[in-house]
Amino acid sequence: MKKFKILGIISIAIIIVYTIGSFSDFRQGVSDGWNDARKVTTDSISNTPNNITWARISVRPLENTQWNKASNIESGKETPYRINNITTYVVPTRWYNIIQMLIFPIAIASFYGFYCLINFLIRVARRQIFTDKNVHCIRWFSYSYIALQLHMIIQYWLGEQAALAQISLPGYALISDTLIETDWISMIVIILFTEIFAMGTKIKEEQDLTI
């Protein structure tokens, strides 16, 4: 019995740690993208159609592309630099618009999942750990959080695909790497330990019935 309690506590800790870590990376990515988009001048925005959206995509210089140079204030010399990604405007595809509309039900589910997390932590603080209510709460929180992550990943990927089809950058090749750069391991770990906690709760209930 003590082993199951320890396993459950470890599962809770890992779920929270991985969620906080993933959320920090996710929030940083959203913040960077938002700040990049805001850097576009007012004149350029006024000259663009209304039915557009911004997309961020990685780029790779071609073999014959010359390095650009920037001024180094400290050394007083020019130093080469390269561009790794760009933020630009694209016409969204039909699938992009459909996925974008799904943010509303996913956001509602995420708010409820956060509410469940608070209730879950309150019960844990009261030493009410292995209960069906806690399983319900941790599942709602974990899966709604992952749904929100997947929604943003798909939206970024669709934006990349639109950029690949619509944007041409002389001297550079555009690369779609959202699916490669995504931290899939964190999401898998959250799901794994959520179900481990649920399984531990079920085993505890069965053992309590046999006593």
Side-chain angles (χ1 to χ4, degrees):
M1 183 67 66
K2 187 176 181 180
K3 292 182 179 179
F4 288 119
K5 288 184 178 180
I6 295 174
L7 181 61
I9 294 172
I10 292 175
S11 299
I12 294 169
I14 291 177
I15 291 169
I16 294 175
V17 169
Y18 267 87
T19 300
I20 293 174
S22 299
F23 179 76
S24 298
D25 295 338
F26 167 74
R27 183 181 61 181
Q28 184 63 40
V30 173
S31 176
D32 292 343
W34 175 254
N35 291 332
D36 289 342
R38 292 183 61 185
K39 291 178 183 178
V40 180
T41 61
T42 304
D43 292 338
S44 64
I45 294 177
S46 62
N47 294 329
T48 53
N50 292 327
N51 60 332
I52 60 171
T53 186
W54 65 270
R56 188 173 185 176
I57 188 168
S58 298
V59 297
R60 182 184 67 241
L62 302 176
E63 293 182 0
N64 58 348
T65 300
Q66 296 183 352
W67 285 64
N68 296 319
K69 293 184 178 180
S71 298
N72 189 311
I73 299 176
E74 186 68 24
S75 64
K77 299 180 180 179
E78 292 186 336
T79 179
Y81 72 91
R82 63 185 299 176
I83 299 174
N84 293 323
N85 58 73
I86 62 171
T87 300
T88 185
Y89 284 95
V90 296
V91 178
T93 62
R94 179 182 302 177
W95 279 110
Y96 184 94
N97 291 330
I98 293 174
I99 294 298
Q100 192 174 31
M101 289 187 295
L102 294 177
I103 187 60
F104 297 105
I106 293 176
I108 293 174
S110 298
F111 280 121
Y112 179 70
F114 184 73
Y115 168 78
C116 288
L117 176 63
I118 294 175
N119 286 335
F120 173 78
L121 295 177
I122 291 174
R123 293 193 188 97
V124 170
R126 294 174 177 173
R127 297 184 179 181
Q128 301 172 4
I129 300 177
F130 292 98
T131 65
D132 290 336
K133 289 183 179 180
N134 280 350
V135 172
H136 169 82
C137 286
I138 200 65
R139 277 177 169 167
W140 257 105
F141 171 73
S142 297
Y143 288 111
S144 62
Y145 171 78
I146 290 173
L148 181 62
Q149 289 272 43
L150 291 176
H151 176 271
M152 298 305 298
I153 291 168
I154 294 172
Q155 197 167 25
Y156 277 129
W157 180 78
L158 290 173
E160 284 183 342
Q161 300 309 303
L164 287 173
Q166 302 173 27
I167 303 300
S168 176
L169 185 63
Y172 289 86
L174 275 65
I175 307 170
S176 177
D177 60 358
T178 292
L179 299 181
I180 298 175
E181 297 295 330
T182 298
D183 187 8
W184 299 105
I185 299 298
S186 293
M187 287 186 276
I188 294 173
V189 168
I190 291 173
I191 293 174
L192 177 63
F193 280 92
T194 296
E195 294 306 318
I196 288 177
F197 177 79
M199 183 177 62
T201 301
K202 184 177 180 180
I203 293 174
K204 180 181 179 300
E205 290 177 349
E206 292 176 352
Q207 289 185 345
D208 290 343
L209 292 174
T210 58
I211 296 176

